[in-house]
Amino acid sequence: MIEKASALLGPSAGPRTRDALDVALVIPLQGPAGIFGPSCECCALLAAEEVNAGSGVLGEELRLVLVDGGAPPEQVATEIDALISGGVIDAVAGWHISAVREVVAPRIDGRVPYVYTALYEGGERSPGVFLTGETPNSQLRPALQWFACELGIRRWTIVGDDYVWPRSSAGAAHRYLRELGGEVCDEMYVPLGTTDFGPVLERVAASGCEAVLMLLIGDDAVLFNRAFTAAGLDRDRIRFSSLIEENVLLATGPDNTRGLMTSAGYFEDLPTAYGLDFAAAYGRRFGPGAPVLNSLGESCYEGVRMLTELLRRAGGTDMERIQATADGLEYETPRGTVRIQDRHLKQRVFLAAADGLQWDVLQQLP
């Protein structure tokens, strides 16, 4: 069961029985990233149900409280602050863009554990924040090395949405390409929600690049991919994005995914025992009409699992104890064996190429 935060706040909210551990699930329900919301919700719900089918968390039921992470960042932060201050929630978890995390983390201020599940630009040091997602050093750097060594690709043009994750990731790409003897031919940023990529594609065509590093979110990536193919740029240029998954492939359409590649810590076809069990459980729980399983949705399953393991190891919700006991925590997930180090999830990362509407996993990245 997932309750909406709006029903638990304000004068009309009734008394809440605190006989459970309540977690704010912050996922996008609107905007360019809203395409990811349904799968994020389903995966988090599956994790919570599995936890509760056992002994719960420290003998308590785990309940999810839904917060729309696609709303303006200040609005999201204000809602979460009210939930914490009102004693409604004990923790925060979920996938949302870095622009939201940057505002939410200071408002939480280490009062409750905050498990951020999105791949992100790295460097988060706010108290009480734990991170399950990939970072450029483990996801982007080895991919650029692979392109240089295996395909001889060293000339890139960067196209991103205009906020912290794309800009910081692009900065990392500049550093990695210098190490490889590569170059950034051009670099462009567009507002979230951009629908016309014509001028951008004209610059891509004129840049002399061999490949495009796409740092676009959700619907923006879909429209860019369609326009990229319509302009004929897919005939001789690779596209690589570290934030693209099955929802975007489906919306992009099979005719528009030639030369499209990604890297991630999870793909449905990874042959791990836990991963196969996870996919089967997801199918049984949500049926054939379920949101397509993907790495971003699965990250919310990871978030609930990480939170559960942290609390169990700490023996409670005391923040000092949680932070003191987190390092070295190791457990099995759909991504394989993972370990917490410096509040980040250490995990394998894989390179994949689009094959129509599916990902063909090529290899594990070093």
Side-chain angles (χ1 to χ4, degrees):
M1 176 181 177
I2 298 182
E3 298 180 83
K4 291 186 176 180
S6 57
L8 305 176
L9 295 171
S12 61
R16 185 165 177 80
T17 303
R18 292 311 308 272
D19 56 354
L21 190 138
D22 295 290
V23 179
L25 177 65
V26 187
I27 57 175
L29 304 178
Q30 59 180 302
I35 191 173
F36 308 132
S39 58
C40 288
E41 182 174 347
C42 287
C43 289
L45 179 59
L46 178 61
E49 290 177 347
E50 289 179 352
V51 168
N52 292 331
S55 58
V57 184
L58 304 175
E60 291 189 306
E61 177 189 5
L62 189 152
R63 296 189 301 208
L64 299 176
V65 176
L66 187 62
V67 175
D68 181 8
E74 284 290 347
Q75 180 180 325
V76 179
T78 297
E79 189 166 2
I80 292 172
D81 186 16
L83 289 168
I84 297 172
S85 299
V88 178
I89 60 171
D90 305 286
V92 177
W95 191 102
H96 35 279
I97 66 174
S98 290
V100 173
R101 186 198 77 252
E102 284 198 319
V103 180
V104 166
R107 294 286 288 276
I108 294 177
D109 194 27
R111 289 178 290 169
V112 299
Y114 173 22
V115 179
Y116 182 64
T117 76
L119 64 96
Y120 87 113
E121 64 279 359
E124 176 60 68
R125 294 291 180 225
S126 299
V129 181
F130 296 87
L131 306 109
T132 74
E134 305 88 340
T135 59
N137 195 50
S138 65
Q139 187 183 27
L140 179 56
R141 182 181 209 151
L144 292 176
Q145 290 174 333
W146 185 90
F147 283 114
C149 295
E150 299 296 325
L151 303 182
I153 292 176
R154 289 181 169 83
R155 298 197 310 274
W156 291 78
T157 286
I158 299 173
V159 179
D161 281 313
D162 191 6
Y163 74 99
V164 59
W165 170 71
R167 286 189 174 275
S168 295
S169 297
H174 276 273
R175 296 193 300 274
Y176 303 152
L177 287 171
R178 282 196 297 270
E179 295 171 2
L180 296 167
E183 64 176 306
V184 174
C185 301
D186 199 355
E187 188 171 353
M188 292 162 273
Y189 297 96
V190 299
L192 281 164
T194 291
T195 58
D196 179 11
F197 285 95
V200 169
L201 294 172
E202 288 177 4
R203 285 176 58 177
V204 170
S207 69
C209 70
E210 300 163 310
V212 176
L213 175 57
M214 289 173 50
L215 300 172
L216 299 165
I217 299 293
D219 292 340
D220 293 5
V222 169
L223 295 176
F224 178 84
N225 283 330
R226 293 175 182 173
F228 193 88
T229 300
L233 296 177
D234 64 326
R235 290 193 293 266
D236 55 6
R237 290 174 178 84
I238 294 290
R239 282 163 290 166
F240 173 77
S241 172
S242 51
L243 200 167
I244 194 169
E245 42 66 84
E246 286 79 356
N247 284 298
V248 171
L249 286 187
L250 285 171
T252 294
D255 296 333
N256 302 313
T257 61
R258 178 170 59 178
L260 182 59
M261 301 184 70
T262 191
S263 60
Y266 171 83
F267 293 94
E268 185 176 357
D269 292 333
L270 287 178
T272 67
Y274 202 121
L276 295 173
D277 289 345
F278 167 69
Y282 184 88
R284 287 193 303 269
R285 173 63 178 85
F286 300 109
V292 62
L293 196 54
N294 62 85
S295 61
L296 306 188
E298 188 274 343
S299 78
C300 289
Y301 182 95
E302 294 286 342
V304 174
R305 280 297 314 280
M306 178 190 271
L307 179 63
T308 301
E309 298 295 337
L310 286 168
L311 295 175
R312 286 172 175 168
R313 191 176 204 189
T317 57
D318 179 77
M319 284 303 304
E320 288 189 10
R321 177 68 178 162
I322 291 170
Q323 294 187 107
T325 59
D327 246 24
L329 175 60
E330 187 173 288
Y331 53 97
E332 292 293 320
T333 80
R335 301 186 180 211
T337 302
V338 297
R339 178 171 50 88
I340 297 177
Q341 180 180 321
D342 195 22
R343 292 192 279 156
H344 287 72
L345 198 66
K346 297 302 177 182
Q347 58 192 294
R348 300 178 300 169
V349 176
F350 299 86
L351 182 71
D355 180 8
L357 299 180
Q358 296 180 317
W359 291 113
D360 178 15
V361 180
L362 302 179
Q363 67 177 73
Q364 181 178 340
L365 293 171

